[in-house]
């Protein structure tokens, strides 16, 4: 068992990463169905919450079937973060997470997200302000440092633990790397194996297969892993990792019927929560992975990303199911989509 304050998670829990315009309630629902142990909302601007911005407020929506679930906030001002924490407190999530890892320019270059990595003293002040302002367990997600010359995560981990955070998730890249190159888990392992660290340490970055998850578990000793891009359009990654951890064997890939059923559920929940226009538009990023491995799928996929009516999209999904009936989809490498390229921030 892994404990985040009083939140009990199974051994080697699998966390769904907070991803802007991805980790919304519809997506979280299908990830929960397939084994995610702890999930986070999309990150929410502290300033947006204080201004009562509609989109920021909507991101506070959580549902009982998601629990345990955390709400993630970001900002670079102590008073704003503290007030945002009080607002989040009222919505009653299981925990509150601070984003010190977002590399997007409009966040990081305004002294929030990964931008705070350039000033550890500020990071400590911001974290302390949040911890003092909420009754919720506070966790942090961050990166190794700002760039190769300032990989300060070992100092950051100790100081944030001293502030009172209950867990730390570390992405194995610097801010300057964005999502380029391979994630370096060496420093994540050093943080986990630091005798002074006694909170759970979760590793994040490039986990795209059960084999890699178990390899990193054994090699670096992390308490669990956080999965982001690999789950986009492939929520089965969670159940496949769990099966491999427990048995040492790979699960068969999801059947065509499972893929279509989950894709439909995701679409329907997306439309219910966001409305037909936005719900249908934002589903388009998921179809490629839901249907990966089907030969000559391009024409079907082109229809899915142009239709604007839910019933018509479901008709195409049913048509795909009939057309490929009996086809067995083999495991293929998961493509780690760089969704930040289209991030509205």
């Amino acid at each position: 068992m892994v404990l985040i304050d009083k939140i009990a998670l199974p051994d080697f829990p699998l966390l769904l990463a907070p991803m802007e315009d991805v980790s919304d309630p519809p997506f979280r629902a299908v990830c929960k169905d397939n084994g995610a142990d702890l999930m986070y909302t999309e990150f929410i601007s502290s300033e947006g919450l204080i201004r009562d911005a509609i989109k920021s407020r909507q991101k506070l929506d959580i549902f009982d079937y998601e629990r345990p679930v955390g709400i993630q906030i970001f900002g670079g001002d102590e008073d704003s973060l503290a007030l945002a924490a009080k607002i989040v407190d009222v919505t009653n999530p299981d925990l509150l997470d601070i984003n010190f890892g977002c590399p997007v320019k409009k966040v990081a270059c305004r002294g929030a997200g990964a931008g705070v990595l350039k000033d550890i003293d500020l990071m400590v002040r911001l974290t302390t302000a949040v911890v003092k302002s909420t009754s919720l367990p506070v966790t942090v997600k961050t990166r190794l440092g700002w760039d190769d010359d300032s990989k300060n995560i070992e100092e950051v981990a100790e100081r944030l633990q001293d502030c009172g955070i209950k867990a730390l998730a570390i992405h194995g890249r610097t801010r300057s790397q964005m999502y380029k190159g391979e994630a370096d888990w060496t420093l994540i392992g050093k943080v986990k194996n630091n005798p002074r660290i006694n909170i759970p340490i979760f590793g994040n970055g490039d986990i795209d297969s059960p084999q890699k998850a178990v390899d990193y578990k054994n090699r670096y000793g992390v308490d669990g892993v956080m999965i982001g891009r690999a789950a986009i359009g492939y929520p089965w990654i969670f159940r496949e990792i769990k099966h491999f951890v427990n048995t040492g064997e790979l699960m068969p890939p999801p059947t065509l019927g499972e893929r279509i059923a989950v894709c439909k559920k995701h679409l329907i929940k997306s439309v219910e929560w966001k409305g037909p226009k936005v719900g249908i538009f934002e589903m388009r990023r998921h179809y490629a992975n839901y249907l990966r491995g089907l030969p000559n799928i391009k024409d079907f996929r082109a229809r899915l990303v142009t239709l604007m009516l839910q019933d018509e999209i479901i008709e195409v999904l049913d048509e795909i199911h009939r057309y490929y009936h009996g086809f067995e989809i083999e495991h293929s490498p998961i493509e780690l989509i760089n969704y930040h390229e289209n991030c509205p921030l």
Side-chain angles (χ1 to χ4, degrees), residues 6 24 35 57 67 69 77 101 112 167-168 175-176 184 189 202 216 224 235 260 264 270 299 304 309 320 326:
K6 297 178 182 178
D24 53 27
R57 287 282 179 164
R67 295 188 184 277
V69 62
D77 177 79
L168 178 65
R175 186 273 165 181
S176 63
D184 178 6
F202 302 114
Y216 284 17
I260 297 298
K264 283 183 183 179
S270 185
D299 289 343
L304 290 172
L309 294 176
I320 292 170

Side-chain angles (χ1 to χ4, degrees), residues 16 40 50 55 102 135 173-175 203 239 263 274 292 296 330:
L16 173 65
Y40 295 88
I50 293 167
K55 187 171 184 181
C102 178
S135 61
R173 290 183 174 87
T174 62
R175 186 273 165 181
R239 75 175 190 185
C263 189
K274 303 175 186 177
R292 187 173 301 282
N296 305 313
E330 298 180 354

